[in-house]
Amino acid sequence: MKKLFVKTYGCQMNAYDSARIADLLAPLGYGAAVGPEDADMVVLNTCHIREKAAEKVYSELGTLRVLKEEKAGRGEAMLVAVAGCVAQAEGELMLRRAPVIDLLVGPQTYHRLPEMIARISRAGGKALEADFPALEKFDALPDAGARGLSAFLTVQEGCDKFCSFCVVPYTRGAEYSRPPEAVIAEAKALVAGGVREIVLLGQNVNAYRGEAGDGKSWSLARLCEALAQIDDLARIRYTTSHPRDMDDDLIAAHRDNDKLMPFLHLPVQSGSDAILAAMNRQHRAEDYLRTIGQVRAARPDIALSSDFIVGFPGESDADFEATMALVRQVKFAQTFSFKYSKRPGTPAAAAPKQISEGVKNERLQALQKLLLEQQDAFNDAAIGSTMDVLFEKPGRGRGQFVGRSPWLHPVHAEGKELIGKILPVKIIARTANSLKSVLE
Ligand code: SF4
């Protein structure tokens, strides 16, 4: 058997794509390698979100070049492929700069890898495919292979929002939603393979508008309702959402759909209207707060998560204070916060009034202190309560297992053969990042 090693950078959508690449290459005889050293093919599934992303990939390619030469000295071959957003953005330039690459595919063309591998094994040379035929990709992918208990399922890709700091509209293309029938079929296959929880993915997942065979357009809420009919599927989640696309149906689904978990990741980025406008987020702070109020009215126990960028160009002390005020008002369970960093080619990268690193560091520290207090308070509030946990893997200690609550708390418990079960537990204590429990 040949061996495949896929290194994933970046977001959950890339993790989904990496799993699909493995599915795609399994019929060609590729099983999982432990690392590049024992692999016949290495795929770097890249991400363009972080600064200097391309440089990190080039540095990794330098390491792979040495490994490939060593292997060639032993008469062993190794294919090197680059996939993902950096491949999309760099294209031909990448093949010229890093001759170690045999295959280069964008996020919408990795389904062509088997045919490209066949092509270069017949004719030699290199193969590059980096256009945007999203429709074709999902049709061409095979059924999903084994995924454990919680699986990602991409339902929507691309983005038309053009936030001024973000490269996604340039690397992933325009918004595209998969037809509901295709999503439901993939979900059923995952559940038949043992999956109990599905996380629906999309760059703007709540902008999902899948066109069904009868020509009707389905919202994300309707899709979740249909997925909830799959008997052995216990939990549905979705990420990442845009505040502007949080429609009434989806808010109501948090009240009406028992399988939709009470957790919402809704990035706000800033609490200042001036900065939200400069970011081209297309909503104000009060719109966000109103949406949060509606979601909480529909599902009072919902846990909220968000993304924040501090030190966006032009952010004044008062703008930053508006972010702190919004955080104090909402009270988040879990968050991701970053200093603004330039992404080449985006409007904000060329904006005047860039903020100094010192100020960015101070603001990030202050924000993260507040967010951590809120996260601790959220976890403390769970102590003494009973909640259902989906146990996913063994813990570090003997007889210990780790799972997730409906609110995404990582929860530990001791027991026998808990993996795959959803069981009620009583929360007895909190550690730094998780909860300790006993089986009820
Ligand atoms: S909505 Fe999200 S993916 Fe789209 S441009 Fe804004 S940050 Fe990027």
Side-chain angles (χ1 to χ4, degrees):
M1 182 196 269
K2 285 182 281 189
K3 288 195 173 167
L4 169 73
F5 181 71
V6 185
K7 179 163 181 176
T8 309
Y9 300 77
C11 67
Q12 292 146 324
M13 303 217 28
N14 264 18
Y16 173 87
D17 288 342
S18 292
R20 301 303 268 139
I21 287 171
D23 291 340
L24 198 62
L25 299 183
L28 272 62
Y30 283 96
V34 181
E37 295 74 18
D38 71 327
D40 300 283
M41 177 166 178
V42 176
V43 180
L44 302 182
N45 192 11
T46 62
C47 166
H48 210 293
I49 289 288
R50 298 271 160 263
E51 204 176 15
K52 302 200 181 94
E55 291 317 307
K56 284 187 191 135
V57 176
Y58 283 117
S59 145
E60 184 77 33
L61 286 167
T63 311
L64 288 178
R65 179 177 55 79
V66 175
L67 183 62
K68 191 171 177 168
E69 283 167 5
E70 280 171 13
K71 286 192 176 191
R74 297 197 296 270
E76 296 165 17
M78 180 174 84
L79 285 176
V80 174
V82 182
C85 295
V86 174
Q88 182 74 46
E90 299 269 306
E92 293 245 19
L93 172 72
M94 195 157 213
L95 288 183
R96 284 201 297 277
R97 256 189 82 176
V100 66
I101 302 170
D102 300 294
L103 304 132
L104 189 134
V105 284
Q108 304 304 355
T109 46
Y110 63 75
H111 61 291
R112 296 185 190 156
L113 271 172
E115 163 209 328
M116 292 162 72
I117 293 171
R119 206 188 316 151
I120 63 170
S121 68
R122 271 196 315 268
K126 299 182 183 298
L128 172 147
E129 303 264 359
D131 45 5
F132 279 114
L135 271 166
E136 177 193 313
K137 176 179 81 180
F138 287 109
D139 289 345
L141 291 174
D143 288 347
R147 286 288 188 279
L149 294 158
S150 178
F152 295 133
L153 200 174
T154 292
V155 301
Q156 181 278 335
E157 288 204 339
C159 181
D160 300 334
K161 303 258 183 332
F162 289 91
C163 296
S164 61
F165 53 83
C166 181
V167 292
V168 164
Y170 310 99
T171 56
R172 290 264 176 172
E175 279 179 15
Y176 161 75
S177 296
R178 296 176 66 190
E181 294 89 346
V183 173
I184 294 165
E186 187 170 333
K188 283 184 175 164
L190 287 168
V191 172
V195 164
R196 306 289 322 273
E197 171 181 278
I198 288 181
V199 186
L200 304 174
L201 296 181
Q203 258 99 22
N204 266 293
V205 73
N206 59 345
Y208 176 83
R209 287 289 173 274
E211 195 183 316
D214 60 5
K216 295 215 170 90
S217 170
W218 286 38
S219 65
L220 186 65
R222 183 159 179 203
L223 183 67
C224 290
E225 198 185 310
L227 292 172
Q229 308 306 315
I230 302 174
D231 281 344
D232 289 335
L233 178 61
R235 294 179 167 190
I236 303 168
R237 303 182 187 275
Y238 62 91
T239 197
T240 289
S241 297
H242 192 285
R244 229 187 55 181
D245 295 314
M246 209 59 218
D247 62 21
D248 292 346
D249 281 4
L250 190 54
I251 293 171
H254 279 284
R255 182 189 59 218
D256 302 333
N257 186 337
D258 292 342
K259 293 189 180 178
L260 190 56
M261 291 294 100
F263 186 96
L264 174 64
H265 179 67
L266 195 63
V268 65
Q269 309 296 0
S270 169
S272 152
D273 287 343
I275 295 299
L276 287 168
M279 289 176 165
N280 192 31
R281 291 287 292 171
Q282 302 170 45
H283 66 84
R284 295 162 303 171
E286 68 176 83
D287 303 321
Y288 183 84
L289 292 170
R290 191 179 337 103
T291 302
I292 294 295
Q294 290 165 344
V295 171
R296 279 193 163 137
R299 181 81 204 220
D301 65 341
I302 200 159
L304 295 165
S305 163
S306 194
D307 295 339
F308 296 90
I309 295 173
V310 300
F312 189 79
E315 185 187 71
S316 65
D317 286 345
D319 292 322
F320 175 64
E321 186 41 47
T323 300
M324 296 288 276
L326 181 138
V327 171
R328 282 188 208 103
Q329 193 170 337
V330 175
K331 297 188 174 59
F332 291 96
Q334 201 194 80
T335 47
F336 302 92
S337 49
F338 308 95
K339 290 184 284 183
Y340 169 75
S341 65
K342 292 181 184 178
R343 307 281 180 268
T346 57
K353 301 201 213 148
Q354 298 283 333
I355 305 297
S356 74
E357 278 304 299
V359 171
K360 283 187 203 169
N361 285 334
E362 272 170 33
R363 288 181 184 165
L364 187 64
Q365 252 180 30
L367 177 64
Q368 289 187 336
K369 181 168 176 287
L370 176 60
L371 292 169
L372 185 62
E373 283 166 14
Q374 295 190 346
Q375 185 181 320
D376 287 350
F378 176 75
N379 289 338
D380 282 342
I383 297 172
S385 67
T386 299
M387 52 180 72
D388 285 343
V389 170
L390 167 57
F391 287 97
E392 292 175 27
K393 55 185 182 188
R396 289 214 187 106
R398 233 174 120 206
Q400 200 183 57
F401 293 87
V402 192
R404 294 270 177 183
S405 77
W407 301 274
L408 267 190
H409 305 95
V411 183
H412 295 257
E414 284 180 9
K416 275 197 192 136
E417 293 169 15
L418 301 187
I419 293 175
K421 294 182 180 150
I422 298 179
L423 296 169
V425 302
K426 177 148 188 176
I427 306 300
I428 52 168
R430 169 172 79 80
T431 60
N433 296 311
S434 63
L435 299 176
K436 274 174 84 169
S437 75
V438 288
L439 295 176
E440 276 281 273

